[in-house]
Amino acid sequence: SVERCIGLDISFSGDACSIAMSGIKEWKEYILEKPDGSYYRELLPIVETDFAIRVKARDGDRIPIHKLRQLVIDLKQLGYIFGSCFNSW
């Protein structure tokens, strides 16, 4: 039920790329200190990362970007909810 975001760092040089999925698990109020020594309350997100993967091509081969795209499509079909940060697929 947690809205998630996926980040892709696609490699154009062919060395390696990465994909990660995270979501805001909850919001928690913290008491923070200002530079002048006074304090204030702020609501901050607790981010939970589901996975982070590094994909490396074999020597002389290319990274299968279409398989990373298919992974994202499969996750959507499994019922994962992607927020507005996920709009390029």
Side-chain angles (χ1 to χ4, degrees):
S1 65
V2 173
E3 198 173 88
R4 290 174 170 81
C5 294
I6 285 190
L8 289 160
D9 180 12
I10 297 174
S11 168
F12 291 105
S13 63
D15 56 351
C17 66
S18 63
I19 181 170
M21 183 170 79
S22 298
I24 297 175
K25 181 181 174 182
E26 63 182 301
W27 291 84
K28 191 171 180 181
E29 188 175 277
Y30 286 92
I31 298 173
L32 303 171
E33 186 176 0
K34 293 181 181 181
D36 66 3
S38 63
Y39 293 91
Y40 67 101
R41 295 177 186 269
E42 186 168 345
L43 199 59
L44 298 172
I46 305 299
V47 177
E48 188 170 81
T49 299
D50 298 294
F51 64 84
I53 302 170
R54 180 176 185 254
V55 180
K56 186 173 177 355
R58 293 183 178 135
D59 289 340
D61 207 352
R62 298 178 71 180
I63 295 169
I65 301 299
H66 68 281
K67 289 186 179 181
L68 296 176
R69 184 176 192 273
Q70 187 61 50
L71 171 63
V72 174
I73 291 167
D74 291 345
L75 289 168
K76 287 177 77 170
Q77 289 176 343
L78 286 170
Y80 286 92
I81 302 164
F82 296 105
S84 60
C85 62
F86 186 79
N87 58 13
S88 62
W89 291 82

